[in-house]
Amino acid sequence: MIKALRRKVLVTLMLAVLPLLLASCLGYRDLDHIAFVTSILIDQDEEENLVFYFETLNSIRNSSKEANQEERIVYKIATQNPGDAINRLETHTSAPVTLAHNKVILFTERFAAGGLDQAFDIFDRWQESSTRTLLGVYVGETEDFIKPNHEEEVMTGLYLYDMLGNKASVTSYGVKLNIKEFMNQKIIGDHVNSMSIMNVSKDKDTKGQYFLDGLALIKDYRMVGRLSSEKSIYFNFLLDNEVSGNINTQNPEDRTKTVSLLLQNNRYKSRLDYKDGMLKMEIILKLNTDVSLIQGKLKLNEENIAKLEASMAAKIRADCLALFQRWKDKGTDIFDIQEKFDRKYPKLAGRNIIGSTELDLKVTVDINGTTTLRDAE
């Protein structure tokens, strides 16, 4: 009697657990039938069709192997209506498509000049789309996106995500920007976003390799200009972004040679003062550096270190002021001055202040000292 009762209880428990086991197996099998989008490139052709390149990770079933294989497949979808792009993608795959794991969205320069709003909203509103997806402007050939030259990485999306999200690289030659930050910046201040530019090498030895190549400036969804990699450093200085990397200045003992200073950290203070229709923006920038490379010969005594600090400070100040004046003359605030002005002077918010702004910039450079004298060739 007791044994029979135990047997019935055991059978009941097994029947209760079995559906859970089957559901787990079914969920696993469903993953084998999903196409995961990992990166997207958006272009525009001569007929003004939007051209989407979807990089996907697909599970390939192979009867000769016990485990399934994963394969990178890029699908090209041309459409007039961006809302149809993802639906049409599913007609090209043998499985449902998910954007939940998409890492990067790239826009060609041609598409960005025409306006990101042609397709951007579908990613902001798409239920499965992640607001953490990183953004960039792509100036390479589309063929290089389809067949990239980075054998160490299988998926371009993961590779680019690391490049665009790597603090050491983007703080010198670009910026880290995701969908959420883009949408926030689009509605505040002067509605200007800065976006990293991704280029592809054409050199014989490195052909097809990706590299960061400065910044694209996006105002109200439209690309209005770009900054070179060198100018991106000064842009980041003026926006109080952490900057890393090297900056070169003249060798005080040989003006035909240079000295490279490695930036360790930068401290930033700013203050706004509005009076008689003019806005004065005071910025104090203090940089800590190390000597990383010397061309020619140089004794690192107190006199030469002082000359290096002064020449570097003067160079950074001059280049920052030139960059500021260039965009002030264009009437475009790429430095978030409008946002700061609206917050400090809410009663005056809304007026275009960039044309009435004067920049007072003070730069000091400290070279981490040494008590010894060093010569370098």
Side-chain angles (χ1 to χ4, degrees):
M1 181 72 176
I2 296 178
K3 290 183 178 180
L5 182 59
R6 287 179 178 175
R7 189 180 298 112
K8 288 182 180 180
V9 172
L10 181 60
V11 171
T12 301
L13 289 174
M14 291 180 63
L15 291 175
V17 173
L18 185 59
L20 298 177
L21 295 175
L22 292 176
S24 298
C25 293
L26 180 59
Y28 176 78
R29 290 178 58 190
D30 284 346
L31 290 178
D32 291 342
H33 292 79
I34 294 177
F36 295 91
V37 175
T38 52
S39 66
I40 302 171
L41 173 65
I42 307 178
D43 193 12
Q44 192 168 23
D45 63 20
E46 295 179 355
E47 286 75 33
E48 296 188 354
N49 292 309
L50 302 183
V51 183
F52 292 77
Y53 296 87
F54 292 96
E55 180 196 48
T56 63
L57 178 64
N58 295 260
S59 180
I60 306 301
R61 295 176 294 278
N62 191 333
S63 59
S64 64
K65 295 185 178 180
E66 294 182 1
N68 293 341
Q69 293 180 330
E70 295 175 342
E71 183 176 359
R72 176 185 187 266
I73 302 177
V74 177
Y75 297 94
K76 179 181 178 180
I77 305 294
T79 178
Q80 288 276 342
N81 185 353
D84 294 336
I86 298 174
N87 293 333
R88 291 187 59 187
L89 173 61
E90 290 189 336
T91 68
H92 288 67
T93 67
S94 59
V97 175
T98 176
L99 272 68
H101 302 281
N102 182 42
K103 297 296 185 181
V104 174
I105 300 175
L106 297 177
F107 311 98
T108 65
E109 191 171 10
R110 174 169 53 184
F111 177 80
L116 304 184
D117 54 336
Q118 301 173 85
F120 192 87
D121 283 353
I122 67 172
F123 301 107
D124 182 42
R125 298 173 182 173
W126 193 266
Q127 185 176 2
E128 289 188 336
S129 181
S130 171
T131 58
R132 296 188 298 273
T133 299
L134 298 182
L135 306 174
V137 170
Y138 181 80
V139 297
E141 299 293 334
T142 55
E143 184 65 25
D144 292 323
F145 178 83
I146 297 172
K147 297 180 180 180
N149 179 24
H150 50 79
E151 297 179 358
E152 70 278 11
E153 295 285 348
V154 177
M155 304 304 296
T156 297
L158 302 179
Y159 183 76
L160 295 179
Y161 184 80
D162 288 340
M163 288 189 69
L164 292 171
N166 184 289
K167 184 177 180 181
S169 61
V170 299
T171 53
S172 294
Y173 304 111
V175 293
K176 182 178 180 180
L177 181 70
N178 60 34
I179 291 178
K180 181 180 179 180
E181 293 164 345
F182 179 92
M183 296 305 295
N184 288 341
Q185 185 63 29
K186 189 186 71 65
I187 60 175
I188 62 177
D190 204 33
H191 309 166
V192 176
N193 268 288
S194 54
M195 191 177 294
S196 291
I197 292 176
M198 186 64 63
N199 206 339
V200 182
S201 175
K202 294 181 175 61
D203 292 341
K204 181 179 178 180
D205 295 333
T206 59
K207 183 175 175 59
Q209 294 182 5
Y210 293 108
F211 65 96
L212 292 172
D213 194 20
L215 295 175
L217 301 172
I218 311 293
K219 181 174 182 178
D220 294 327
Y221 285 116
R222 193 175 301 274
M223 183 173 171
V224 295
R226 59 185 293 183
L227 301 179
S228 66
S229 295
E230 181 182 4
K231 295 295 189 295
S232 298
I233 297 178
Y234 306 120
F235 171 85
N236 281 324
F237 279 143
L238 292 176
L239 265 75
D240 190 22
N241 294 330
E242 187 70 24
V243 178
S244 60
N246 289 278
I247 300 182
N248 297 330
T249 190
Q250 273 188 346
N251 184 330
E253 291 187 355
D254 185 348
R255 294 187 175 276
T256 65
K257 306 295 183 180
T258 61
V259 176
S260 293
L261 297 183
L262 177 64
L263 296 165
Q264 297 294 348
N265 60 73
N266 50 283
R267 288 173 290 171
Y268 176 101
K269 289 183 179 180
S270 67
R271 186 172 66 90
L272 296 180
D273 184 22
Y274 182 74
K275 186 177 180 180
D276 298 330
M278 295 297 297
L279 179 67
K280 180 179 179 181
M281 183 171 185
E282 181 182 1
I283 295 178
I284 299 175
L285 187 62
K286 296 182 179 181
L287 310 177
N288 289 324
T289 67
D290 283 322
V291 176
S292 60
L293 180 65
I294 300 174
Q295 288 185 335
K297 293 183 178 181
L298 175 65
K299 290 184 177 181
L300 290 178
N301 52 31
E302 290 185 2
E303 180 183 357
N304 283 336
I305 288 176
K307 289 180 179 179
L308 285 174
E309 291 173 340
S311 64
M312 179 63 77
K315 172 182 171 57
I316 292 174
R317 183 178 185 276
D319 287 338
C320 285
L321 289 174
L323 180 64
F324 175 83
Q325 190 63 45
R326 176 188 174 191
W327 287 94
K328 176 183 175 179
D329 292 343
K330 291 176 178 286
T332 303
D333 173 23
I334 67 173
F335 308 104
D336 290 344
I337 297 173
Q338 187 74 48
E339 177 186 352
K340 296 176 182 178
F341 176 77
D342 291 348
R343 289 180 177 178
K344 184 170 182 179
Y345 302 99
K347 293 183 178 180
L348 301 174
R351 62 167 297 182
N352 188 353
I353 198 62
I354 184 65
S356 304
T357 301
E358 294 180 353
L359 177 60
D360 181 11
L361 177 62
K362 298 179 176 64
V363 181
T364 59
V365 176
D366 291 327
I367 297 176
N368 295 329
T370 176
T371 58
T372 61
L373 302 182
R374 292 179 291 177
D375 293 338
E377 292 286 342

